[in-house]
Amino acid sequence: MLKILLKGHDKYYATADVVRLFFPSPVEDKEGGMVFCKNAPDIEIVSELTPSGRCICHANGKEYFFDGRSEEAGREVKRSLYMALTDLTGIRPPWGCLTGIRPTLVALQTDSAEDLAERYLVRPDKAALALKTGREEVRILQKIAPADINIYIGIPFCPSRCEYCSFVSSDISHHMGRLKDYKEHLIEEIRLLSPKINRRIGTLYMGGGTPTVFDDEDFKELIDAVYENLAIDKDCEVTVEAGRPDTITRAKLKAMADHEIRRICINPQTMNDVTLAKLNRRHTAQDTLRAIEDAREMGFDVINSDIIAGLKYETADDLIDTAKKLIDLDLENITVHTLYKKRRASMSLADVMANDAAGDVDKAVSEVYLMLEEAGYRPYYMYKQKDTGHGLENTGFEKGDTACLYNVAMMTDARDVLSFGAGGMSKRVFGQVDTAKYRVERCSSSKDVLDYMMRTEEIAKKKADFFEL
Ligand code: SF4
């Protein structure tokens, strides 16, 4: 077990956040002044904040401290602990002691890749990526007027549950009846709120789950209702995250194309059929190719595909092969996600040290980034998830200035988002990011589909009050 005794400070969360970069599920024992982690090797560390504001970690008769510019206490604690754990475990998470979900924000604050690498111990290639991506986020954000409202419509159902899924999602193979009811309630919520929306709609994103999980008729009814009720003008960016290729039919593509929707996400995650079957995704690489071909034929001119690095059954070569196949299809957007590997939970230090898969995924992701940049793609938004496997990030790439504005609005927490459906989060942004007046207020819908359907009217009213509509 890993035990860290806190001395001269009470930075439990900062300490646990750094431990989480190395091992899962740290626990804070505030009465005992400790953070400990059972899923880790036997290591004892004393994390001491000295009166001069320097944090020193003592372990195995050694002292770990950063011998450069001094930072605020929380950062000092993280930095010295990161140094101790990298030395004691041999693991070197690429984002250094940065534990937040938005490395681009910190990169923009430092405005120097070198500074980011030095102060936060971030690997130089990641520091450069964060700064480049952060600058793109700023450039793209300027295309979304702060006075506009951005709309999210959530469909938390999928044809089957992927083995790695951690989202709020219901397996419709068990809830077919509920899917139709959900559509009705979603349309009702849109009808209740739409007359009150007195702001221009800047972007609209339909996501999931799998929005194309409906049958052709219900899907068309939903899309038509969205356009009948919401004032979507010709400059509004509309994106439908179709997701699973096997749910995409020509009739559904036509339902979207009839409203001049031109952006769609067709997400294979991998182009390896063996992996797809093991993951319970119930589609093949050929389904992806067919869906992309149909979408192109119907006039969709921005297609995004998501891929996942670190899938349980895949090697680095599989990831590179998937990326190559998608690049060859000349897609406008490719988003590279990294997966949290739960099996790390039961690993001993010996397992971790012997397991070179983490390093392989890291190298493969770097190689995929290089392939994308050589093919003309640019990173334009990025985020990290807590407990992301291998300490890696998720990065969206685009080419030809086709970035998805909604993604940037959502990820940067810099624009208002009104969310319809179960599980969605609406948010209002006050003041400009990085100013004293900046703050974000959030209003959640119900995550439970049944509860959402029972309280649709009440939930719509709550959102109307939240936005003062
Ligand atoms: S498609 Fe996405 S939301 Fe649906 S089950 Fe798979 S991972 Fe979960």
Side-chain angles (χ1 to χ4, degrees), residues 225-291:
V226 166
Y227 273 81
E228 268 160 31
N229 289 283
L230 294 168
I232 300 167
D233 69 29
K234 67 174 179 38
D235 293 326
C236 173
E237 174 198 89
V238 180
T239 309
V240 176
E241 186 191 359
R244 299 278 192 97
D246 51 324
T247 62
I248 302 171
T249 62
R250 289 182 71 85
K252 290 176 206 174
L253 291 169
K254 183 168 183 316
M256 292 183 261
D258 284 349
H259 290 288
E260 301 195 357
I261 295 175
R262 293 283 174 266
R263 305 181 66 97
I264 191 171
C265 304
I266 299 170
N267 297 331
Q269 313 302 6
T270 169
M271 293 297 273
N272 183 323
D273 284 344
V274 176
T275 313
L276 286 167
K278 285 182 178 168
L279 293 173
N280 193 32
R281 279 186 64 88
R282 303 191 191 164
H283 68 84
T284 61
Q286 189 55 38
D287 289 329
T288 302
L289 296 175
R290 192 262 316 148

Side-chain angles (χ1 to χ4, degrees), residues 286-331:
Q286 189 55 38
D287 289 329
T288 302
L289 296 175
R290 192 262 316 148
I292 289 172
E293 202 180 308
D294 285 350
R296 283 288 188 229
E297 219 181 288
M298 298 262 187
F300 286 83
D301 44 29
V302 180
I303 299 180
N304 171 73
S305 280
D306 285 359
I307 60 178
I308 298 181
L311 285 168
K312 187 170 163 190
Y313 309 101
E314 296 225 313
T315 63
D317 286 346
D318 290 323
L319 175 70
I320 289 165
D321 180 61
T322 290
K324 188 174 179 325
K325 285 181 174 145
L326 295 179
I327 289 170
D328 287 348
L329 290 169
D330 206 18
L331 304 178

Side-chain angles (χ1 to χ4, degrees), residues 392-408:
L392 294 171
E393 65 289 339
N394 303 316
T395 311
F397 286 81
E398 63 89 19
K399 66 175 177 178
D401 213 8
T402 58
C404 176
L405 304 186
Y406 173 83
N407 282 339
V408 177

